[in-house]
Amino acid sequence: MEIEVFVVPGCPNQRLAEEQLREALDGAGLPGETFTTRVITDQAEAERSGFTGSPTILIDGRDPFAEPGSSPSVACRIYRTPHGLAGAPGVDQLRQALRAAAGQGGGV
């Protein structure tokens, strides 16, 4: 499984996203999986990579939290979580997305 976290320079939610992703990987029974973090610096790079805001988490090249109609942009991103709007997906949301990508069921 390839997991990438895309962020803008100085993203205030980078650490939150990375911590919650690590917790979700452990909780999904995937503690050996790793992820890379990549900084997106301009609009052209955002368009090439499907980056719709910081942070964006891709699992095998797919954004499981993509909102219909979102355009690539070098900006902050807000996620809808069970607890309201947040700067990163919740641990349970990430765990479900990881399990779905790993073929364990429990899609988003």
Side-chain angles (χ1 to χ4, degrees):
M1 182 179 312
E2 182 180 9
I3 305 167
E4 298 172 288
V5 178
F6 292 170
V7 297
V8 296
C11 175
N13 293 307
Q14 176 179 347
R15 185 176 178 140
L16 173 66
E18 291 170 342
E19 288 172 353
Q20 294 194 162
L21 180 54
R22 174 51 44 213
E23 186 177 336
L25 283 164
D26 293 346
L30 302 165
E33 287 289 338
T34 61
F35 59 88
T36 57
T37 300
R38 184 169 134 202
V39 178
I40 303 296
T41 58
D42 60 45
Q43 185 64 28
E45 192 174 10
E47 290 173 12
R48 281 193 304 276
S49 57
F51 178 77
T52 58
S54 186
T56 289
I57 298 168
L58 298 183
I59 302 172
D60 291 332
R62 183 181 155 270
D63 180 351
F65 306 102
E67 293 276 337
S70 294
S71 299
S73 67
V74 181
C76 290
R77 182 168 175 177
I78 299 295
Y79 289 86
R80 298 178 202 286
T81 74
H83 305 289
L85 299 178
V91 173
D92 289 337
Q93 292 172 298
L94 286 163
R95 188 178 310 118
Q96 289 175 2
L98 291 163
R99 285 182 175 153
Q104 299 174 8
V108 176

